[in-house]
């Protein structure tokens, strides 16, 4: 169910900062047409940090409605409070989501034992499949391979999204977990190499605006046709980097508006609009690859 190009979906807002259901439906239809393999709703790219819990739940439910069972939906349910993650996960149990993406607790910088007990508690509270999410440059903590191995023993902890960009981790993790444990890239710039080393796909920021390219690249890579996959990745490489020229999701929201997928690139404070100089750079690369 979870493999290939999976989009870390942006959360569209109107000019006043309210959730824009019209744009959400439009961008979801774009992913259905371009055969994106799964949608992650309200992860980091979906601005989970600035949505209220009610908005968070509503966006996931709207996503499920617009998807209409055509693509698996993975809900971002992570928090730096274990109890909050459990509450949100339990609330979504009968919603129709295919699984949860659980980020490592941010800001409070737990120990490895704290990380283990956090994810263990969430796992034991639900039957929903759980994907661990490691993104140390945003959370201030790093989920180590040994801790991942411990957690992989829980039946409903099915995989890991690793956005560390550290490809040396893959081999060590694979040695410690079972063959059915899913390894998913969370870093577009290294995603193709990640798949070649044994990953099953990517949860992608770039896919928000280049869904067709990302779907084709992942499909080719998973078939073992890395020469053709690299041709696509070479075309996207500059874009991968530019989409992190400023903090995600600032550039990707501007880009989605520029190509007409959403009506506004509004973000909530403390996130601010893309700088004018970076708009010009991003516009040039978008035009050069005909997005």
């Amino acid at each position: 169910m979870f493999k290939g190009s999976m989009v870390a979906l942006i959360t569209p807002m109107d000019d006043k900062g309210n959730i824009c259901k019209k744009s959400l439906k439009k961008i979801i239809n774009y992913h259905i047409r371009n055969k994106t393999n799964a949608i992650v709703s309200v992860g980091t790219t979906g601005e989970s940090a600035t949505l209220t819990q009610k908005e968070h739940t509503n966006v996931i439910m709207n996503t499920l409605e617009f998807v209409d069972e055509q693509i698996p939906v993975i809900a971002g349910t992570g928090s730096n409070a274990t109890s909050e993650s459990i509450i949100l996960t339990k609330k979504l149990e009968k919603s129709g989501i295919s699984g949860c993406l659980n980020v490592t607790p941010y800001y409070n910088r737990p120990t490895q034992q704290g990380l283990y007990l956090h994810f263990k508690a969430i796992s034991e509270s639900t039957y929903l499949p759980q994907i661990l999410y490691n993104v140390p440059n945003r959370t201030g903590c790093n989920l180590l391979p040994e801790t991942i191995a411990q957690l992989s023993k829980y039946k409903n902890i099915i995989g890991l999204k690793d956005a560390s960009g550290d490809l040396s981790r893959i081999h060590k993790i694979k040695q410690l977990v079972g063959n059915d444990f899913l390894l998913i890239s969370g870093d577009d710039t290294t995603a193709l190499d990640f798949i070649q080393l044994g990953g099953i796909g990517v949860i992608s920021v770039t896919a928000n605006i280049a869904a067709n390219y990302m779907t084709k690249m992942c499909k080719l890579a998973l078939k073992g046709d890395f020469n053709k996959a690299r041709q696509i990745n070479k075309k996207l490489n500059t874009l991968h980097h530019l989409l992190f020229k400023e903090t995600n999701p600032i550039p990707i929201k501007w880009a989605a508006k520029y190509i007409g997928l959403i009506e506004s690139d509004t973000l909530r404070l403390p996130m601010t609009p893309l700088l004018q100089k970076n708009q010009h750079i991003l516009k040039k690369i978008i035009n050069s690859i005909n997005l």
Side-chain angles (χ1 to χ4, degrees):
M1 183 182 294
F2 306 128
K3 71 174 184 177
S5 176
M6 298 168 272
V7 64
L9 195 70
I10 55 176
T11 298
M13 299 175 187
D14 62 25
D15 290 337
K16 295 181 179 179
N18 300 310
I19 307 301
C20 181
K21 289 176 68 175
K22 181 181 177 182
S23 288
L24 182 62
K25 185 174 184 177
K26 186 175 183 179
I27 197 168
I28 286 171
N29 286 337
Y30 162 79
H31 285 287
I32 292 169
R33 288 195 308 274
N34 286 283
K35 303 187 186 305
T36 295
N37 297 110
I39 288 175
V40 173
S41 180
V42 200
T44 306
T45 307
E47 296 175 80
S48 55
T50 56
L51 299 187
T52 67
Q53 192 173 98
K54 183 178 180 181
E55 288 173 324
H56 191 129
T57 305
N58 286 345
V59 172
I60 293 168
M61 297 308 295
N62 288 333
T63 300
L64 286 163
E65 177 189 347
F66 299 146
V67 163
D68 193 25
E69 300 183 355
Q70 296 176 80
I71 304 176
V73 174
I74 302 165
T77 54
S79 171
N80 62 340
T82 307
S83 58
E84 191 172 327
S85 286
I86 290 172
I87 289 167
L88 185 54
T89 301
K90 296 291 287 182
K91 189 180 289 189
L92 293 168
E93 276 190 331
K94 296 181 181 180
S95 65
I97 61 169
S98 297
C100 300
L101 181 68
N102 250 307
V103 70
T104 52
Y106 37 88
Y107 184 75
N108 40 19
R109 301 179 68 187
T111 62
Q112 293 301 304
Q113 177 69 356
L115 289 169
Y116 169 74
L117 292 173
H118 169 80
F119 289 118
K120 174 179 179 287
I122 297 167
S123 168
E124 291 176 340
S125 76
T126 184
Y127 57 83
L128 286 170
Q130 303 291 306
I131 299 171
L132 310 172
Y133 177 18
N134 188 48
V135 55
N137 69 330
R138 292 193 78 132
T139 61
C141 63
N142 190 20
L143 191 60
L144 297 180
E146 293 78 9
T147 310
I148 295 164
Q150 282 183 288
L151 290 165
S152 71
K153 295 173 184 176
Y154 291 89
K155 187 177 179 181
N156 62 339
I157 297 180
I158 63 167
L160 167 75
K161 173 188 176 183
D162 195 289
S164 67
D166 181 0
L167 296 173
S168 68
R169 286 166 49 92
I170 302 170
H171 179 66
K172 187 165 187 181
I173 294 169
K174 283 182 72 68
Q175 286 184 312
L176 296 172
V177 300
N179 292 332
D180 57 347
F181 189 78
L182 308 178
L183 293 178
I184 305 166
S185 171
D187 177 49
D188 280 305
T189 58
T190 58
L192 181 54
D193 293 323
F194 191 104
I195 294 171
Q196 191 162 12
L197 290 168
I200 53 85
V202 58
I203 294 177
S204 168
V205 173
T206 302
N208 277 284
I209 61 167
N212 188 40
Y213 283 127
M214 290 300 296
T215 299
K216 286 180 178 177
M217 186 193 78
C218 289
K219 187 175 182 179
L220 287 164
L222 290 169
K223 283 168 55 178
D225 194 343
F226 289 100
N227 287 333
K228 288 183 180 177
R230 288 200 183 281
Q231 290 173 23
I232 297 173
N233 195 53
K234 187 176 180 181
K235 185 178 287 191
L236 295 175
N237 195 47
T238 302
L239 180 62
H240 291 327
H241 287 281
L242 287 177
L243 290 176
F244 287 84
K245 185 80 172 174
E246 294 180 42
T247 305
N248 180 48
I250 293 172
I252 192 60
K253 267 201 151 175
W254 182 88
K257 181 190 176 185
Y258 176 65
I259 68 171
L261 285 175
I262 59 176
E263 295 183 358
S264 171
D265 61 341
T266 301
L267 302 119
R268 291 181 180 174
L269 287 172
M271 306 303 283
T272 51
L274 187 66
L275 295 173
Q276 195 77 31
K277 64 178 182 179
N278 291 330
Q279 292 180 21
H280 292 307
I281 299 168
L282 192 49
K283 186 184 296 185
K284 185 176 179 181
I285 188 63
I286 287 172
N287 292 340
S288 74
I289 55 179
N290 299 316
L291 294 180

